[in-house]
């Protein structure tokens, strides 16, 4: 009888434990979603990078880091819920004064983002590269983010971030000021990547 009770108890335990376990999302669900690399009037303290969780579960960002483009290590217990945004900025106080207090933001990162283009690399706690973007200020990249108020926005979160055609400038404001969409859906968002037209000749 005792063996039967122990067996039943183990069966119940195995059934219950999966229900109470914390569900963790895949590291690759986190993408670099928006970049403010050249704020208008060269206000580099307003530089920021926004992350987005495109998955269906919370991702633990503890000890993640930016390993190229800037230097920043995420604190312990940093989490990013599904469908949510997290901004990492150069100066939290300056960012909050410009964009408000209702955005989830971390900082301050060290270094600064080049106005002429560079590679940004996001790595997890194990040192594995999760996402990378090598933006430029010419060629196939939009010009609005290069000092003309707009931010650089990822169009489709599920499409390749290394493809310049997956990036666009945020909507330009009616007058020149630091703009962008930190903490919310990008102006250029699309569930599918639209066709790109380039090298047009007349």
């Amino acid at each position: 009888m005792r063996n039967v009770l122990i067996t039943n108890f183990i069966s119940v335990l195995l059934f219950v434990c999966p229900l109470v376990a914390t569900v963790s999302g895949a590291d690759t669900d986190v993408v670099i979603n928006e970049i403010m690399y050249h704020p208008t009037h060269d206000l580099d303290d307003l530089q920021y990078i926004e992350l987005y969780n495109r998955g269906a579960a919370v991702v633990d960002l503890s000890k993640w880091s930016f390993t190229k483009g800037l230097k920043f290590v995420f604190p312990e217990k940093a989490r990013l819920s599904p469908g949510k945004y997290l901004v990492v900025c150069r100066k939290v106080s300056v960012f909050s004064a410009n964009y408000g207090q209702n955005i989830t933001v971390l900082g301050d990162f060290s270094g600064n983002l080049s106005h002429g283009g560079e590679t940004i690399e996001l790595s997890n706690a194990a040192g594995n590269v999760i996402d990378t973007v090598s933006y430029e200020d010419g060629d196939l990249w939009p010009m609005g983010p290069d000092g003309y108020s707009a931010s650089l926005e990822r169009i489709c979160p599920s499409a390749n971030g290394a493809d310049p055609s997956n990036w666009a400038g945020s909507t330009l404001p009616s007058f020149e000021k630091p703009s962008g969409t930190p903490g919310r859906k990008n102006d250029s968002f699309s569930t599918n990547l639209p066709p790109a037209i380039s090298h047009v000749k007349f």
Side-chain angles (χ1 to χ4, degrees):
M1 180 66 178
R2 182 181 178 186
N3 289 338
V4 172
L5 291 175
I6 292 174
T7 301
N8 289 340
F9 174 76
I10 293 174
S11 298
V12 171
L13 187 62
L14 291 174
F15 177 76
V16 171
C17 283
L19 297 180
V20 298
T22 300
V23 178
S24 297
D27 288 357
T28 51
D29 286 335
V30 177
V31 296
I32 297 171
N33 193 59
E34 185 179 0
I35 305 166
M36 176 63 85
Y37 69 89
H38 190 179
T40 184
H41 306 306
D42 293 338
L43 299 173
D44 283 354
D45 282 349
L46 282 172
Q47 290 183 336
Y48 66 82
I49 296 177
E50 179 194 75
L51 303 182
Y52 174 67
N53 182 353
R54 62 187 179 184
V58 176
V59 177
D60 184 1
L61 302 180
S62 300
K63 299 303 180 182
W64 283 37
S65 61
F66 283 104
T67 46
K68 284 186 179 179
L70 62 139
K71 297 296 182 183
F72 182 79
V73 178
F74 289 75
E76 291 283 358
K77 299 182 179 180
R79 304 286 188 272
L80 186 54
S81 298
K84 297 298 183 180
Y85 307 89
L86 174 63
V87 175
V88 179
C89 63
R90 192 172 186 219
K91 294 290 182 182
V92 171
S93 58
V94 178
F95 176 90
S96 297
N98 188 81
Y99 291 103
Q101 305 287 331
N102 297 323
I103 299 173
T104 303
V105 60
L106 294 174
D108 302 342
F109 68 68
S110 59
N112 63 286
L113 299 172
S114 171
H115 295 176
E118 67 179 308
T119 297
I120 300 172
E121 190 174 87
L122 175 68
S123 301
N124 65 10
N128 300 317
V129 176
I130 301 303
D131 199 17
T132 182
V133 178
S134 296
Y135 69 88
E136 297 180 12
D137 66 344
D139 295 329
L140 301 177
W141 293 82
M143 296 303 296
D146 189 19
Y148 300 102
S149 300
S151 66
L152 186 62
E153 295 185 333
R154 191 176 187 135
I155 298 172
C156 177
S158 61
N160 189 356
D163 183 357
S165 67
N166 194 25
W167 293 87
S170 63
T171 301
L172 291 172
S174 56
F175 59 94
E176 192 172 355
K177 66 173 183 177
S179 185
T181 55
R184 61 182 177 86
K185 181 186 290 187
N186 289 345
D187 291 333
S188 307
F189 171 83
S190 177
T191 53
N192 298 297
L193 188 60
I197 300 173
S198 60
H199 304 297
V200 176
K201 292 183 179 180
F202 293 94

